[in-house]
Amino acid sequence: MEKKIKSVKPTVEAINKILDSFGFKGFKLKATADEKHYEVIRNDETDAKKTLSEGERNFLVFLYFYHLIKGAENPEDNIKEPRILVIDDPVSSLDSNVLYIVSTLIREILHKVRKNDNLLHQVFIFTHNAYFFKEITFISSRESCYNKRNDTIYYIVRKIDNSSYIDKYETCPIKTSYQLLWDEIKKDSTDCISM
């Protein structure tokens, strides 16, 4: 039996609310007259579909994904089982403003998981971007990134001689991208290409 879309209006409103709350002015969504589809428009109401940059497209996909993880596409599905969320490098081609928005939304997800405030049971986040990593793992000035968290484990995957190795860390292993490079050079197993 084919699912029937009742309305995209709640999704459009939720995504536009996020964009407004961050002061984002690049684009917004507008439900079509039948409310079963949406259009991406610029603030001057012109169609943005053909002029979206790669970063804007990635951001829009992330926003839709973010909206979907809060519940089922069809409210009648009523999914109640705990879920595991995997986010794989969501900041490709994003400018710093959008990277900040995505980081903040992910920190909100992590906060809810830590408080057992939703159906998400566990979150895995993969990234190559040290700045994004620092943003999502931000710990307030009252805490130190050198302190162990009971709810977080850090891993670094390194490729050496065409084999991947995973190092596990109880505390945040990355201080800055500059420090990460020096730490890499200090290792005996550093690949010459990396240097």
Side-chain angles (χ1 to χ4, degrees):
M1 184 171 184
E2 186 178 316
K3 278 189 193 177
K4 297 200 179 210
I5 298 174
K6 294 189 180 5
S7 176
V8 297
K9 198 170 182 181
T11 303
V12 166
E13 289 171 355
I15 289 174
N16 284 340
K17 185 176 178 182
I18 291 170
L19 295 173
D20 287 342
S21 72
F22 285 99
F24 182 80
K25 302 292 182 208
F27 60 80
K28 61 184 176 183
L29 303 182
K30 178 180 174 184
T32 57
D34 65 1
E35 294 187 2
K36 293 187 178 187
H37 301 90
Y38 65 87
E39 301 170 323
V40 183
I41 58 172
R42 299 289 180 194
N43 284 335
D44 64 0
E45 300 289 322
T46 59
D47 185 11
K49 184 170 68 173
K50 292 182 180 177
T51 61
L52 288 175
S53 69
E54 181 182 352
E56 288 175 321
R57 285 193 306 268
N58 290 344
F59 182 40
L60 185 56
V61 168
F62 177 81
L63 290 171
Y64 187 73
F65 172 75
Y66 176 79
H67 182 73
L68 282 179
I69 62 175
K70 291 184 172 194
E73 224 175 319
N74 182 357
E76 293 165 4
D77 289 346
N78 202 17
I79 299 171
K80 297 290 184 193
E81 294 89 33
R83 292 175 269 169
I84 295 174
L85 178 65
V86 178
I87 301 173
D88 187 9
D89 226 357
V91 294
S92 175
S93 306
L94 301 184
D95 66 27
S96 60
N97 292 334
V98 173
L99 188 143
Y100 171 76
I101 296 170
V102 170
S103 301
T104 302
L105 295 174
I106 291 175
R107 277 199 316 269
E108 177 186 304
I109 292 167
L110 296 174
H111 178 72
K112 287 182 178 185
V113 170
R114 287 183 174 116
K115 299 267 185 207
N116 280 332
D117 193 20
N118 61 17
L119 292 176
L120 291 176
H121 177 70
Q122 194 172 29
V123 178
F124 292 90
I125 304 171
F126 301 94
T127 187
H128 295 96
N129 187 313
Y131 179 74
F132 172 67
F133 176 81
K134 293 299 284 180
E135 285 292 316
I136 59 170
T137 59
F138 174 76
I139 296 175
S140 72
S141 59
R142 287 175 273 156
E143 298 180 272
S144 167
C145 71
Y146 301 108
N147 292 342
K148 180 180 176 189
R149 293 187 76 132
N150 293 331
D151 57 9
T152 305
I153 300 173
Y154 304 93
Y155 296 93
I156 294 181
V157 180
R158 290 184 173 83
K159 196 167 202 167
I160 302 169
D161 296 329
N162 272 344
S163 295
S164 295
Y165 298 91
I166 301 174
D167 295 325
K168 179 180 173 182
Y169 298 87
E170 298 295 325
T171 60
C172 180
I174 299 173
K175 288 30 169 195
T176 65
S177 54
Y178 182 72
Q179 184 61 47
L180 183 63
L181 290 172
W182 278 112
D183 290 347
E184 199 62 32
I185 289 171
K186 290 176 192 174
K187 290 184 183 263
D188 292 334
S189 60
T190 300
D191 186 1
C192 289
I193 294 172
S194 296
M195 261 203 278

